[in-house]
Amino acid sequence: DAGVIQSPRHEVTEMGQEVTLRCKPISGHDYLFWYRQTMMRGLELLIYFNNNVPIDDSGMPEDRFSAKMPNASFSTLKIQPSEPRDSAVYFCASSLGGSGPQHFGDGTRLSIL
Amino acid sequence: GESVGLHLPTLSVQEGDNSIINCAYSNSASDYFIWYKQESGKGPQFIIDIRSNMDKRQGQRVTVLLNKTVKHLSLQIAATQPGDSAVYFCAENGPSGTYKYIFGTGTRLKVLA
């Protein structure tokens, strides 16, 4: 069975550029989560969706961050403009029902120069 | 507890021995707990979960113990193998009515040959 698929796996770009991270959740899962992981802060929840609708975006750090889920099989996390402090690994996870285990993708390692 | 910190605690175990990884959780109202394994360059991988109406749950070579009195969770790995080397996170469900997890700091398990 295909797990959560994220792209790209690595992204290196200069500050000020727009960055778009992509996620395909596990088919049939109705919850989708975006996380950021850094050495200093560990895993932080940025936003989560239920049935394609954003439920809680209180973890989104600034207006430079936005996330969309146009359909059940695709979500994007966009940073515009990007800054060096956005460098981190970004994970997408999905679950069947919000109270069940979340299944993670392998992440996008983002480096902003 | 919140997932913060630069230095992960490390547990070194001889191959073939049993490993015990501990976690203190923060919210006495939490009723669902998960252990994740994260290998280098990959996303957290679900290992086992437990609900608060249970004290113990067993999987393949893994056992999770829950002590609600002292808000403590442990993961036991039997006959530890080199492939078990990774960072292990516990997670608890967050505030009631949300589907946010609170992740622990993580423990690095090193298996010595």
Side-chain angles (χ1 to χ4, degrees):
Chain A
D1 287 345
V4 174
I5 299 172
Q6 292 187 245
S7 64
R9 289 299 315 277
H10 304 274
E11 175 89 13
V12 181
T13 192
E14 293 186 345
M15 66 178 293
Q17 297 297 307
E18 178 179 292
V19 172
T20 300
L21 311 181
R22 296 172 175 80
C23 174
K24 177 178 169 55
I26 293 172
S27 178
H29 282 191
D30 55 347
Y31 280 81
L32 184 140
F33 305 81
W34 281 101
Y35 288 87
R36 178 171 68 177
Q37 186 177 44
T38 61
M39 284 295 293
M40 284 299 297
R41 300 174 67 88
L43 267 167
E44 301 174 278
L45 177 66
L46 301 177
I47 185 171
Y48 74 92
F49 295 81
N50 174 219
N51 291 325
N52 315 337
V53 175
I55 302 300
D56 188 329
D57 65 354
S58 59
M60 297 285 261
E62 298 170 34
D63 291 346
R64 298 183 297 106
F65 285 68
S66 63
K68 294 182 180 179
M69 192 165 185
N71 58 62
S73 59
F74 184 66
S75 178
T76 60
L77 178 68
K78 188 173 291 187
I79 309 172
Q80 166 64 19
S82 58
E83 296 183 4
R85 60 194 168 121
D86 302 330
S87 298
V89 182
Y90 290 80
F91 289 104
C92 176
S94 69
S95 70
L96 180 61
S99 60
Q102 296 175 16
H103 298 271
F104 285 75
D106 282 337
T108 295
R109 182 172 295 275
L110 177 64
S111 296
I112 308 297
L113 307 176
Chain B
E2 287 198 7
S3 184
V4 295
L6 197 58
H7 300 288
L8 290 177
T10 299
L11 174 67
S12 296
V13 174
Q14 206 67 35
E15 181 179 354
D17 288 350
N18 297 336
S19 303
I20 300 176
I21 300 170
N22 296 304
C23 177
Y25 63 91
S26 57
N27 185 0
S28 57
S30 294
D31 60 4
Y32 180 63
F33 306 88
I34 302 179
W35 279 101
Y36 284 95
K37 171 187 180 183
Q38 187 174 21
E39 296 175 278
S40 181
K42 295 192 172 183
Q45 177 187 2
F46 170 80
I47 302 174
I48 192 168
D49 58 0
I50 188 168
R51 297 204 179 268
S52 60
N53 60 351
M54 301 174 70
D55 297 323
K56 178 180 178 179
R57 190 163 187 226
Q58 287 186 285
Q60 187 177 16
R61 277 203 310 121
V62 295
T63 300
V64 55
L65 298 178
L66 175 62
N67 185 330
K68 296 179 287 293
T69 303
V70 294
K71 294 191 288 185
H72 184 266
L73 196 65
S74 69
L75 177 71
Q76 300 178 0
I77 304 173
T80 312
Q81 301 169 359
D84 296 327
S85 294
V87 176
Y88 290 81
F89 292 96
C90 66
E92 61 185 294
N93 58 340
S96 177
T98 75
Y99 295 114
K100 300 180 179 183
Y101 286 177
I102 300 172
F103 283 85
T105 308
T107 297
R108 185 178 303 281
L109 176 65
K110 287 188 177 179
V111 181
L112 308 173

